[in-house]
Amino acid sequence: MPKLTMAQAINNALAVELEHDSRVLVFGEDVGKNGGVFRVTEGLQERFGEKRVFDTPLAESSIVGSAVGMAINGLRPIAEIQFLPFALVSFNQTVTQAARMRYRSGGVYTVPMVIRTPFGGGVRPPEMHSDSFEAMFAHAQGLKVVAPSNPYDAKGLLHAAVDDPDPVLFLEHMKLYRSLRQEVPAERYTVPLGRAATVRPGRDVSVFAYGAMVQLALDAAAQVEKESGISAEVVDLRTLAPLDEAAIAASVDKTGRAVVVHEAPRAGGLAAEVIAVINEHSLYSLLAPVERVTSPDTAFPVPKLEDIILPNVARVKAAIRRTLEE
Amino acid sequence: MPKLTMAQAINNALAVELEHDSRVLVFGEDVGKNGGVFRVTEGLQERFGEKRVFDTPLAESSIVGSAVGMAINGLRPIAEIQFLPFALVSFNQTVTQAARMRYRSGGVYTVPMVIRTPFGGGVRPPEMHSDSFEAMFAHAQGLKVVAPSNPYDAKGLLHAAVDDPDPVLFLEHMKLYRSLRQEVPAERYTVPLGRAATVRPGRDVSVFAYGAMVQLALDAAAQVEKESGISAEVVDLRTLAPLDEAAIAASVDKTGRAVVVHEAPRAGGLAAEVIAVINEHSLYSLLAPVERVTSPDTAFPVPKLEDIILPNVARVKAAIRRTLEE
Amino acid sequence: MSLIADDTLYQVLSPTGEVVGSVPAIAPAGHLNLYRWMVFGRVFSDRMTALQRQGRMGTFAEVKGQEAACVGLAARLTEEDWLMGSYRESLAYMVKGVPLAAQLKHWGGYIPDNYPFEARCLPFQIVLATQVLHAVGIAHAIKYKGEPHVAVVGIGDGATSEGDFNEALNAAAVFELPVIFVVQNNGWAISVPRHAQTRVDSFVRRAAGFAVPGLRVDGNDILAMIGAMDTALDRARSGGGPTLIEAETYRMGAHTTADDPTRYRPPEDLELWGRRDPIIRYRKFLMDRQLLTDLEDEQLQDDVTAEFEAAVAEFEALPPQDVAQHFDLILGNPPPQLARQKAQILNEQ
Amino acid sequence: MSLIADDTLYQVLSPTGEVVGSVPAIAPAGHLNLYRWMVFGRVFSDRMTALQRQGRMGTFAEVKGQEAACVGLAARLTEEDWLMGSYRESLAYMVKGVPLAAQLKHWGGYIPDNYPFEARCLPFQIVLATQVLHAVGIAHAIKYKGEPHVAVVGIGDGATSEGDFNEALNAAAVFELPVIFVVQNNGWAISVPRHAQTRVDSFVRRAAGFAVPGLRVDGNDILAMIGAMDTALDRARSGGGPTLIEAETYRMGAHTTADDPTRYRPPEDLELWGRRDPIIRYRKFLMDRQLLTDLEDEQLQDDVTAEFEAAVAEFEALPPQDVAQHFDLILGNPPPQLARQKAQILNEQ
Ligand SMILES: Cc1ncc(C[n+]2csc(CCOP(=O)(O)OP(=O)(O)O)c2C)c(N)n1
Ligand SMILES: Cc1ncc(C[n+]2csc(CCOP(=O)(O)OP(=O)(O)O)c2C)c(N)n1
Ligand SMILES: [Mg+2]
Ligand SMILES: [Mg+2]
């Protein structure tokens, strides 16, 4: 099996979709000849032509709003928004339109579409490229939000997102695009939406994370194990909306302690919902307050501060230890 | 002291602002001659002229984006978005621009502006008028979100919002506009932002709510007291971002039990953040899981279902009782 | 008539019903069908407003005065064409194939689950101008599939100020899509008059700013509307790309039942536009051509009224809105937590 | 020159530096100042790109080829006028009064806290087209206060497709605001060429769609830029309202240091536009008029390079970005929880 980066795995998934389903179109800003600013759509226009893979005018609301129309009229649009913060420009079309057409039309029209977008910090682009705004979308009912942490899941989740009967926001962590390689089957397979994955079993504490934070959590878990014999379970949430509540509860019921990690600011971030789920299902299992390792309630940091402000392994380790101190 | 409805109290606050500060402008769709679709700006254009109080073209991004420019250039814009869901059209200008100018400019330019908007259910307008999208804004750092529950607070919080050095989203619950009257001083006074209010002291359980849900909580509290001698404390959050964490913790530390009520869907709603705050500050005081009384994770209901889907007194009572059962 | 980019107003019938342009080819039955829809639209608008006042209907947006524009924008579409609009296009939707029963359920506060797919009308839009981008996407799919169909979208003059409308014009031109934008310029956006909305003389000029050709049409002249739509539809079906039609009309009633236009609208205007009433004008034409008699006209009024009342009776006999449906329509694959939330609320019932 | 709404290109200097239009009134020192800024812009652009390659600078957006447009759009503004733009207007910002030190800090990844207020330049914009609405609001405040100032906003050809740009044109016309929209049409939006962005012939026509008058200008002709800005500024200051200036230019470098234009751009184009280089053209004019000698020109190159290098040396000697500042700039009245978060991170340092 070929070892692919996440960018390659997604490129491959897109190619497979374009190949096997003529209803699939791939479009967005610079996705054509340029192959996307991260080269995720590289070679696709050349291979599938300008009718299947094309550049749009620079207008996010137009990209999402017209994808809604395409989906209603029988296509399977896969739209790219160049960076997640620019998806706020199309927030209204996503939240009140794409996510609501099923309800609004009494189920007569549905919007099976995917919005792919790079997100996350650590890459040091100019401002407003890296802000983790995913919680805003996760609160929009009717929309699914997915954030893979590795190449294998990225491909499988993307296929599942295309199969899904509803709109899916597909978040690709920029730092993961090329940072690790994994064996990825060439054929089409799906990784189910709505299901978290225990990527490291453990007994003492559960660490919930998604996207690039999963690697951080794994590193922290390995280190606390080595340093202090702490057995940390790492759960990759994978789908941020709707959350896999059963998986969250099962893990905390086992370990009695939890840490939630995300790059977004703390107030109103996804960790709050994870804690609320734990409160509802597993409060009596809980031996210590759930720890949140997040960015502070500030703007996304300027490049010179990324390393200091964003969550890091040391902070995850400290949080793990705090849950065990009490 | 005159007894005013919340609509009148806000109208009065706007008049006071226009009167005492020539930098204040009031604008939005239909706020001029028509006095706003809820008559909240009634008489203001006549009294202060078309330069101070005026209609804009039908374009929310333009309303918010130009308010940002006005604020930077020394004015104190009070913009109206006709209904909260339409504020998603201007979401990007609000979140990446209004809320971020202070950081982006290293503090050289600031954006003291207020966005007023009606929100909330129970009034049965057509779809997309009543959705409680406040949690999406509450996660936007650099923005304050305020939601008064009564005429007195509405006036005082609006003055505080105008005084605030940063952008404030001011949520006016539609059902409260005319449903109750209160003595409201004619002069200018402020109710501080960022501070919750204990509107009913109690010993057994804390009920956190905002907007129209405060009245629901009060009704439920009165009934469970009468029916079962349960002493429920009701805390009006008033400012949704940043939350008054100290007030939340103090109340739960006292009662050991909590219910959070909002009309927004459950997943990723503000109740999650309240629970996360309780988890962080007061987990060891907690005697039972915090209960969430919210709308389900669906679209805002069609008019025929509002009464069934939205939170009601019976559900708040049941939640209060559940916290005491365990 | 050719596609223009100036302010010449295209008319077939003068306000007094004189023929001043070339009458599009329409069979006598076709004429009567158009007229019937317009009369039906007036009855629908007046009766819905009355029902709302009686507490028997939800908030309703009047069509009165805009019957020619509404009927005209929909009448020449095939079943396979698509139509979307705002609340103001309710009548157009019925012409396109959405049953009155569906409109009643929708305005009446139920989940609008009885728009037939085959009508190809999206639920009327509340978040203004968003539907214009949906039309662009639908037209994109039509073109991609190589179909001869067209996406038609109605929008008010006020909503043209939204970014989405302008983005849609741009995308339609860039991708040369079979889409027709019909601006129902009724002079007002709730209380905001046209001149406070934009300073451009006509929306045809706006469209020209995106290289979309346009036609300014007397929107109270059903025959001009039909002629304009025929031109634009031909263009779209033959791969010619998008067209904007500005239908100059007037909202004779309130914005919605929640609105009081006496607060902002000069009464003279109402008089002026009363003299341009689209129904009176067309009736005169039909009578001049001996296509309609007074008696037939009265009969028609009675028929459409009876039709409306029968539908209302059916509407009022509907069972209560199914609560379960509310939970089943948010996601095709609802998660377990939603099932729990559903069970909880259903248990209470 | 009058305000036009067609595609006539306004030029003063031909690409080879011949005078083909009337030269705006500029004193000899003024000419040299313009030229100096253009030369400085080229050095700035090339050196920043080189520094980024060496890992000494963050992602940078080249100005190369657009020096006349950038300098021209800012040169005639007073201190009280306002200027905002995207990353592409960095040079214009410096002309307006933002020190090079501020640009270095900004591009270098620090919090840009050293743009002086008096420069009245908003931090360059990343979320495309949003700044155009800020300019409208700033102009609204100017008009409200009765000041004779103007808000000038730069935007790229690609960003004109955003709803915000079009909404801004509309609002500026409706409120008759003293704002000038300068579209730097450099032919590309990253890899997307102008003709795939919009089908309208020129952005002057786009503006006409909102009743905003416009001028299409050779953006590589500094004197045409000055002349156009003078016209638009006069108009704005005298209450005449908004103007759009389309500056036709070309991005000779990459979109940013993260971009590889060889993937999408035909090399012939680069040659063609090399022959229209704004600096060569203006240099010829200055030399023809005996305003500049070869020797002075060489000296100038050395001077601006030295100026740049001195600023870089200062930049590289800056202390690390203050961490506390990050927490102090999100709200004027930060809540207690933010203070705790700040203490936590500061404690770690
Ligand atoms: C995005 C958005 N903003 C505001 C509103 C509130 N609103 C509803 S109708 C209306 C006026 C619409 O005017 P116009 O587009 O001319 O259509 P008309 O009602 O005249 O047919 C407004 C402001 C809305 N529904 N959507
Ligand atoms: C709202 C938004 N969408 C997308 C981007 C990503 N992006 C940055 S620059 C650019 C191209 C801009 O082209 P143009 O407006 O012509 O300006 P130029 O770079 O040519 O000066 C794009 C797509 C962005 N910054 N903001
Ligand atoms: Mg209108
Ligand atoms: Mg460009």
Side-chain angles (χ1 to χ4, degrees):
Chain A
M1 237 181 326
K3 285 208 157 198
L4 302 185
T5 63
M6 194 170 91
Q8 290 167 332
I10 295 169
N11 181 278
N12 172 264
L14 294 171
V16 170
E17 288 299 338
L18 285 159
E19 180 81 50
H20 102 280
D21 188 346
S22 68
R23 299 170 308 169
V24 169
L25 302 186
V26 170
F27 53 92
E29 296 159 10
D30 304 290
V31 303
K33 207 164 188 179
N34 201 33
V37 292
F38 289 101
R39 309 286 176 257
V40 173
T41 56
E42 176 143 38
L44 297 179
Q45 185 178 70
E46 213 174 350
R47 182 159 161 213
F48 297 99
E50 296 190 7
K51 288 198 169 155
R52 308 284 310 283
V53 180
F54 54 88
D55 291 335
T56 63
L58 209 168
E60 288 75 14
S61 194
S62 179
I63 291 171
V64 173
S66 57
V68 170
M70 290 179 199
I72 288 170
N73 195 4
L75 304 187
R76 291 268 170 173
I78 305 179
E80 176 175 312
I81 297 293
Q82 206 161 73
F83 292 90
L84 175 59
F86 310 146
L88 299 197
V89 179
S90 41
F91 197 66
N92 177 54
Q93 279 287 354
T94 307
V95 175
T96 74
Q97 302 302 313
R100 287 293 178 82
M101 191 55 76
R102 179 185 290 275
Y103 187 84
R104 299 182 57 235
S105 70
V108 175
Y109 300 112
T110 57
V111 180
M113 65 183 261
V114 179
I115 305 173
R116 292 180 40 248
T117 186
F119 90 117
V123 176
R124 294 186 176 54
E127 58 152 1
M128 294 298 171
H129 283 72
S130 311
D131 298 65
S132 281
F133 288 136
E134 61 274 10
M136 295 163 176
F137 292 89
H139 185 48
Q141 310 308 318
L143 179 73
K144 289 183 171 145
V145 182
V146 173
S149 70
N150 61 65
Y152 180 89
D153 280 359
K155 177 169 168 173
L157 287 167
L158 185 49
H159 288 307
V162 174
D163 286 346
D164 198 83
D166 293 301
V168 178
L169 179 68
F170 193 85
L171 300 170
E172 305 170 1
H173 201 290
M174 285 183 244
K175 220 180 154 178
L176 296 177
Y177 270 140
R178 276 162 241 285
S179 64
L180 68 156
R181 288 181 179 271
Q182 228 179 10
E183 293 201 337
V184 175
E187 63 272 19
R188 191 177 197 275
Y189 62 92
T190 58
V191 169
L193 305 190
R195 297 274 286 279
T198 304
V199 291
R200 183 186 202 277
R203 291 176 316 273
D204 300 331
V205 53
S206 307
V207 184
F208 300 99
Y210 53 94
M213 295 299 101
V214 173
Q215 194 53 53
L216 217 68
L218 286 170
D219 291 349
Q223 291 181 26
V224 292
E225 170 120 73
K226 209 171 144 206
E227 291 163 13
S228 328
I230 297 170
S231 165
E233 174 150 304
V234 177
V235 178
D236 179 355
L237 294 172
R238 296 201 297 201
T239 294
L240 312 185
L243 276 177
D244 185 349
E245 299 195 356
I248 295 169
S251 183
V252 177
D253 285 341
K254 180 172 67 171
T255 62
R257 297 176 162 87
V259 174
V260 196
V261 191
H262 60 58
E263 282 173 67
R266 195 192 63 160
L270 272 158
E273 182 60 32
V274 173
I275 292 171
V277 167
I278 294 171
N279 163 78
E280 262 145 31
H281 296 289
S282 311
L283 186 77
Y284 295 115
S285 309
L286 209 56
L287 304 167
V290 182
E291 288 283 331
R292 290 197 269 187
V293 180
T294 68
S295 286
D297 295 343
T298 61
F300 187 86
V302 291
K304 288 282 183 202
L305 292 177
E306 284 200 17
D307 289 344
I308 294 170
I309 300 299
L310 296 182
N312 56 34
V313 173
R315 265 175 230 156
V316 179
K317 283 167 62 182
I320 288 174
R321 290 187 200 285
R322 273 197 302 277
T323 65
L324 285 151
E325 265 162 28
E326 328 239 357
Chain B
M1 237 181 324
K3 285 207 158 199
L4 302 185
T5 63
M6 195 171 90
Q8 290 167 333
I10 295 169
N11 180 278
N12 172 264
L14 293 171
V16 170
E17 287 300 338
L18 285 159
E19 181 80 51
H20 103 280
D21 188 346
S22 67
R23 299 170 307 170
V24 169
L25 303 185
V26 170
F27 53 92
E29 296 159 11
D30 303 289
V31 303
K33 208 165 189 178
N34 201 33
V37 291
F38 289 100
R39 309 286 176 256
V40 173
T41 56
E42 177 144 37
L44 297 179
Q45 185 178 70
E46 212 174 348
R47 182 158 161 216
F48 297 99
E50 295 191 7
K51 288 198 171 154
R52 308 286 309 283
V53 180
F54 54 89
D55 292 335
T56 62
L58 208 169
E60 288 76 14
S61 194
S62 179
I63 291 171
V64 173
S66 58
V68 169
M70 292 179 197
I72 289 170
N73 196 4
L75 304 186
R76 291 268 170 173
I78 305 180
E80 176 176 312
I81 297 293
Q82 206 161 74
F83 291 89
L84 175 60
F86 310 146
L88 299 197
V89 179
S90 41
F91 197 66
N92 177 53
Q93 280 286 354
T94 307
V95 174
T96 75
Q97 301 303 314
R100 287 294 178 81
M101 191 55 75
R102 179 185 289 275
Y103 186 85
R104 298 182 58 235
S105 70
V108 174
Y109 300 112
T110 57
V111 179
M113 65 184 261
V114 179
I115 305 173
R116 293 180 39 248
T117 186
F119 88 117
V123 177
R124 294 186 177 53
E127 59 153 359
M128 294 297 170
H129 282 73
S130 311
D131 298 65
S132 281
F133 288 136
E134 61 273 10
M136 294 163 176
F137 291 90
H139 185 49
Q141 311 307 318
L143 179 73
K144 289 183 172 144
V145 182
V146 173
S149 70
N150 61 66
Y152 180 90
D153 279 0
K155 177 170 167 172
L157 286 167
L158 185 49
H159 288 307
V162 174
D163 286 347
D164 198 83
D166 293 301
V168 178
L169 178 68
F170 193 85
L171 300 171
E172 305 170 1
H173 201 288
M174 285 183 244
K175 220 181 157 178
L176 296 177
Y177 270 141
R178 277 162 240 286
S179 64
L180 69 156
R181 287 180 180 271
Q182 228 179 12
E183 294 200 336
V184 174
E187 62 273 17
R188 191 176 197 277
Y189 63 91
T190 58
V191 169
L193 304 189
R195 297 273 286 280
T198 304
V199 290
R200 183 187 203 277
R203 291 176 315 273
D204 300 331
V205 52
S206 308
V207 185
F208 299 100
Y210 54 93
M213 295 299 101
V214 173
Q215 194 53 52
L216 217 69
L218 286 170
D219 291 349
Q223 291 181 25
V224 291
E225 170 120 70
K226 210 171 142 203
E227 292 163 13
S228 329
I230 297 170
S231 165
E233 173 150 305
V234 178
V235 178
D236 179 355
L237 294 172
R238 297 201 296 201
T239 295
L240 312 185
L243 277 177
D244 186 347
E245 299 195 356
I248 295 169
S251 182
V252 177
D253 285 341
K254 181 172 67 173
T255 63
R257 296 177 164 86
V259 174
V260 196
V261 191
H262 59 58
E263 282 174 66
R266 195 191 65 160
L270 272 158
E273 182 60 32
V274 173
I275 292 171
V277 168
I278 294 171
N279 163 78
E280 262 145 32
H281 296 289
S282 310
L283 185 79
Y284 296 115
S285 310
L286 208 57
L287 304 167
V290 181
E291 289 282 332
R292 291 196 269 187
V293 180
T294 69
S295 286
D297 295 342
T298 62
F300 186 86
V302 291
K304 288 282 184 203
L305 292 177
E306 283 199 18
D307 289 344
I308 294 170
I309 300 299
L310 296 182
N312 56 33
V313 173
R315 265 175 230 157
V316 179
K317 284 168 62 181
I320 289 174
R321 290 188 201 286
R322 273 197 302 278
T323 65
L324 285 151
E325 265 162 28
E326 327 240 359
Chain C
M1 159 204 29
S2 67
L3 292 168
I4 50 178
D6 66 25
D7 291 23
T8 317
L9 185 72
Y10 170 55
Q11 270 184 340
V12 175
L13 298 179
S14 75
T16 49
E18 263 62 67
V19 174
V20 294
S22 86
V23 177
I26 303 174
H31 274 296
L32 285 176
N33 187 45
L34 292 174
Y35 182 66
R36 186 188 163 94
W37 273 119
M38 289 169 64
V39 171
F40 172 80
R42 180 70 51 97
V43 168
F44 169 72
S45 185
D46 290 347
R47 290 291 301 128
M48 289 291 279
T49 303
L51 287 173
Q52 194 279 338
R53 299 250 157 80
Q54 297 161 18
R56 294 163 63 192
M57 188 45 64
T59 307
F60 173 73
E62 300 194 43
V63 184
K64 190 174 179 173
Q66 300 185 221
E67 294 88 352
C70 283
V71 173
L73 77 86
R76 305 294 255 200
L77 307 191
T78 68
E79 186 173 289
E80 283 79 15
D81 292 330
W82 287 79
L83 176 62
M84 55 230 85
S86 74
Y87 48 85
R88 197 71 72 201
E89 277 76 25
S90 54
L91 173 58
Y93 274 36
M94 291 191 276
V95 175
K96 176 73 171 72
V98 173
L100 173 56
Q103 286 291 311
L104 290 172
K105 219 171 158 180
H106 201 167
W107 291 109
Y110 287 81
I111 293 176
D113 60 356
N114 55 344
Y115 280 45
F117 178 92
E118 305 70 47
R120 291 181 179 78
C121 287
L122 302 191
F124 58 71
Q125 187 57 247
I126 295 297
V127 187
L128 293 169
T130 55
Q131 77 274 17
V132 191
L133 285 170
H134 307 162
V136 165
I138 284 177
H140 204 123
I142 289 171
K143 184 173 178 181
Y144 175 75
K145 295 189 269 183
E147 297 167 346
H149 315 318
V150 181
V152 175
V153 57
I155 180 170
D157 50 313
T160 64
S161 299
E162 292 283 3
D164 274 7
F165 173 68
N166 297 290
E167 290 189 12
L169 288 174
N170 194 48
V174 164
F175 296 115
E176 298 170 356
L177 299 178
V179 55
I180 303 173
F181 306 97
V182 183
V183 178
Q184 285 209 54
N185 177 1
N186 65 4
W188 294 89
I190 311 185
S191 71
V192 181
R194 164 68 172 77
H195 65 83
Q197 197 61 246
T198 182
R199 287 295 162 87
V200 75
D201 301 332
S202 83
F203 294 106
V204 164
R205 276 182 203 276
R206 171 72 62 79
F210 297 87
V212 171
L215 275 166
R216 191 166 150 262
V217 178
D218 184 334
N220 281 10
D221 174 355
I222 180 68
L223 298 181
M225 282 299 297
I226 295 287
M229 284 300 298
D230 281 350
T231 303
L233 285 165
D234 279 355
R235 217 176 146 256
R237 291 197 209 287
S238 62
T243 305
L244 178 140
I245 289 174
E246 174 173 1
E248 200 167 276
T249 181
Y250 195 74
R251 188 192 84 209
M252 295 186 68
H255 168 68
T256 67
T257 47
D259 176 49
D260 173 9
T262 63
R263 294 177 66 88
Y264 53 79
R265 196 162 61 172
E268 315 82 79
D269 284 17
L270 214 55
E271 265 167 61
L272 175 71
W273 282 91
R275 291 194 297 275
R276 299 179 183 164
D277 188 311
I279 296 182
I280 298 176
R281 186 186 306 198
Y282 193 35
R283 183 191 296 136
K284 169 145 194 316
F285 168 86
L286 295 176
M287 291 194 171
D288 285 354
R289 297 236 165 164
Q290 261 97 52
L291 291 167
L292 182 76
T293 66
D294 274 327
L295 206 73
E296 284 163 349
D297 191 29
E298 272 166 44
Q299 184 62 48
L300 182 63
Q301 299 278 351
D302 292 349
D303 288 354
V304 299
T305 307
E307 189 192 326
F308 181 84
E309 298 307 337
V312 168
E314 267 186 55
F315 164 74
E316 294 191 326
L318 279 177
Q321 167 66 49
D322 177 21
V323 181
Q325 196 184 17
H326 179 73
F327 294 85
D328 298 341
L329 285 174
I330 190 69
L331 285 173
N333 305 318
Q337 51 265 42
L338 188 61
R340 286 195 299 274
Q341 294 169 13
K342 175 180 169 184
Q344 212 173 348
I345 287 192
L346 290 182
N347 277 345
E348 287 178 11
Q349 302 313 304
Chain D
M1 160 205 26
S2 67
L3 292 168
I4 49 177
D6 66 26
D7 292 22
T8 316
L9 186 73
Y10 170 55
Q11 268 185 340
V12 175
L13 297 178
S14 76
T16 48
E18 267 71 55
V19 175
V20 294
S22 86
V23 177
I26 303 174
H31 276 296
L32 285 176
N33 186 44
L34 292 173
Y35 182 67
R36 186 190 163 94
W37 274 120
M38 289 169 65
V39 171
F40 171 80
R42 180 70 51 97
V43 167
F44 169 72
S45 184
D46 290 347
R47 290 292 299 131
M48 290 291 278
T49 303
L51 287 173
Q52 194 279 339
R53 298 250 157 80
Q54 297 161 19
R56 294 162 64 192
M57 187 47 62
T59 307
F60 174 73
E62 300 194 42
V63 184
K64 190 174 178 173
Q66 299 184 222
E67 294 88 352
C70 283
V71 172
L73 77 85
R76 306 293 256 200
L77 307 190
T78 68
E79 187 173 289
E80 283 79 16
D81 294 328
W82 288 78
L83 176 63
M84 55 230 85
S86 74
Y87 47 85
R88 198 70 72 200
E89 276 77 25
S90 53
L91 173 59
Y93 274 36
M94 291 191 274
V95 175
K96 176 73 172 72
V98 174
L100 174 56
Q103 286 290 312
L104 290 171
K105 219 172 156 179
H106 201 168
W107 291 108
Y110 287 82
I111 293 175
D113 61 355
N114 56 344
Y115 281 44
F117 178 91
E118 305 70 47
R120 292 180 179 78
C121 288
L122 302 191
F124 59 70
Q125 187 58 248
I126 296 297
V127 188
L128 293 169
T130 56
Q131 77 275 14
V132 192
L133 285 170
H134 307 162
V136 164
I138 284 176
H140 204 123
I142 289 171
K143 183 173 178 179
Y144 175 74
K145 295 189 269 184
E147 297 167 346
H149 315 318
V150 182
V152 176
V153 57
I155 180 170
D157 50 313
T160 64
S161 299
E162 291 282 3
D164 274 7
F165 173 68
N166 297 289
E167 291 190 11
L169 288 174
N170 194 49
V174 164
F175 297 114
E176 297 169 358
L177 299 178
V179 55
I180 302 173
F181 306 96
V182 183
V183 178
Q184 285 209 54
N185 177 0
N186 64 6
W188 295 89
I190 310 185
S191 71
V192 180
R194 163 71 172 75
H195 65 83
Q197 197 61 247
T198 182
R199 287 296 162 87
V200 75
D201 300 333
S202 84
F203 294 106
V204 164
R205 277 183 202 277
R206 171 72 60 80
F210 297 87
V212 171
L215 275 165
R216 190 165 150 261
V217 179
D218 184 334
N220 282 9
D221 173 354
I222 180 68
L223 298 180
M225 282 300 297
I226 296 288
M229 285 300 298
D230 281 350
T231 303
L233 286 164
D234 279 355
R235 219 178 144 253
R237 291 196 208 289
S238 61
T243 306
L244 178 141
I245 289 174
E246 173 173 0
E248 200 168 275
T249 180
Y250 194 74
R251 186 193 86 209
M252 296 186 68
H255 168 69
T256 66
T257 46
D259 177 48
D260 172 10
T262 63
R263 294 177 67 89
Y264 53 80
R265 196 161 62 171
E268 314 83 80
D269 284 16
L270 214 55
E271 264 168 62
L272 175 71
W273 283 91
R275 290 195 297 277
R276 299 177 184 165
D277 188 310
I279 296 182
I280 297 174
R281 186 187 306 199
Y282 193 35
R283 183 191 295 135
K284 170 143 193 319
F285 168 86
L286 295 176
M287 290 193 171
D288 285 354
R289 296 237 165 161
Q290 260 95 53
L291 292 166
L292 183 76
T293 66
D294 275 327
L295 206 72
E296 285 163 349
D297 191 31
E298 271 167 44
Q299 184 63 48
L300 182 63
Q301 298 277 352
D302 292 349
D303 288 354
V304 298
T305 307
E307 189 192 326
F308 181 85
E309 298 307 338
V312 169
E314 267 187 53
F315 164 75
E316 295 193 324
L318 279 177
Q321 169 65 49
D322 177 22
V323 181
Q325 195 184 17
H326 179 73
F327 293 86
D328 299 340
L329 285 174
I330 189 70
L331 286 172
N333 305 319
Q337 51 265 42
L338 188 61
R340 286 196 299 274
Q341 294 168 11
K342 175 180 168 183
Q344 212 173 349
I345 286 191
L346 291 181
N347 279 344
E348 286 179 10
Q349 302 313 305

